[in-house]
Amino acid sequence: NAGVTQTPKFQVLKTGQSMTLQCAQDMNHNSMYWYRQDPGMGLRLIYYSASEGTTDKGEVPNGYNVSRLNKREFSLRLESAAPSQTSVYFCASSGGAGGYSNQPQHFGDGTRLSIL
Amino acid sequence: EDQVTQSPEALRLQEGESSSLNCSYTVSGLRGLFWYRQDPGKGPEFLFTLYSAGEEKEKERLKATLTKKESFLHITAPKPEDSATYLCAVQAQTGGYNKLIFGAGTRLAVHP
């Protein structure tokens, strides 16, 4: 099973450029999430989608937008990249009843993004 | 404020030397505590969920326990392949959804 698949794995951008990070899961999960991981800090939630057709802000949403394209796919877009957005980005999904589920989240292997 | 603190930040063990990792938390409305393993260049891999104080879970050389204020991940007779970063995350209900709060992790190195 593929689980959670993220593309691309690596990306270098210049300040001001835009890009979209893609995420797809094949576990039929309702909820999907985007996190960023920075050295010395815990994973921080950017946006989440409790179910198809809904999205909500997490802890650090500024500078990002998301789209829940269908039940399988959840994309993260940087409209105008800034050096502070250099990070490793992880997508995750979980089963159960949308945002109220306490089922474990399952993660992809991340996108390593550098902004110069 | 909801908070998760892991200690130590880094731990070096000899193969076979048992030890414990700590995860202390302050959250309102605890819904669950999760342990993950993360290898370099990979995403977190789910290990255990603990839902209530007194609960214990085991998997091979790993055993997770939970009290009302902290969780321990006990590693018995570790092997070099147990080297990884171990992440603790607490799930709390807030604003109508279950928020997952991560600690910064403990980097474990097991040497032969």
Side-chain angles (χ1 to χ4, degrees), chain A residues 15-27:
Chain A
T15 298
Q17 287 186 316
S18 62
M19 81 161 294
T20 300
L21 280 61
Q22 306 287 351
C23 174
Q25 53 93 6
D26 63 1
M27 295 174 283

Side-chain angles (χ1 to χ4, degrees), chain A residues 35 37 40-43 45 48 90 99-109 112, chain B residues 31 34 36 38 41-44 46 49 51 87 91 93 96-98 100 102-104:
Chain A
Y35 291 88
Q37 186 176 41
M41 302 181 72
L43 286 150
L45 182 66
Y48 71 100
F90 288 99
Y100 300 97
S101 168
N102 60 357
Q103 295 298 306
Q105 295 181 18
H106 298 271
F107 288 80
D109 281 338
R112 282 141 190 87
Chain B
R31 297 267 295 164
F34 302 85
Y36 288 84
Q38 186 174 22
K42 298 291 188 180
F46 170 70
T49 309
Y51 291 110
L87 304 176
Q91 193 165 50
Q93 188 169 26
Y97 83 101
N98 288 332
L100 202 59
F102 280 87

Side-chain angles (χ1 to χ4, degrees), chain A residues 4-22:
Chain A
V4 178
T5 303
Q6 293 184 236
T7 56
K9 295 187 185 304
F10 302 93
Q11 185 71 48
V12 179
L13 293 178
K14 294 181 180 179
T15 298
Q17 287 186 316
S18 62
M19 81 161 294
T20 300
L21 280 61
Q22 306 287 351

Side-chain angles (χ1 to χ4, degrees), chain B residues 4-108:
Chain B
V4 177
T5 304
Q6 291 189 246
S7 61
E9 289 186 15
L11 181 63
R12 177 188 170 118
L13 298 174
Q14 290 298 122
E15 185 172 2
E17 179 187 3
S18 301
S19 188
S20 297
L21 313 182
N22 178 263
C23 172
S24 62
Y25 62 90
T26 53
V27 294
S28 54
L30 177 71
R31 297 267 295 164
L33 185 141
F34 302 85
W35 281 99
Y36 288 84
R37 169 191 171 125
Q38 186 174 22
D39 292 301
K42 298 291 188 180
E45 175 189 350
F46 170 70
L47 292 173
F48 302 111
T49 309
L50 301 166
Y51 291 110
S52 58
E55 190 174 359
E56 298 182 354
K57 293 275 181 73
E58 283 189 70
K59 179 181 180 180
E60 295 182 354
R61 294 176 293 282
L62 301 177
K63 179 180 178 180
T65 61
L66 180 65
T67 71
K68 288 186 177 180
K69 293 185 176 181
E70 59 190 349
S71 176
F72 290 94
L73 185 65
H74 306 279
I75 304 177
T76 302
K79 299 181 178 181
E81 53 261 43
D82 294 322
S83 298
T85 296
Y86 290 86
L87 304 176
C88 169
V90 173
Q91 193 165 50
Q93 188 169 26
T94 179
Y97 83 101
N98 288 332
K99 179 174 69 172
L100 202 59
I101 306 157
F102 280 87
T106 293
R107 295 188 311 278
L108 174 65

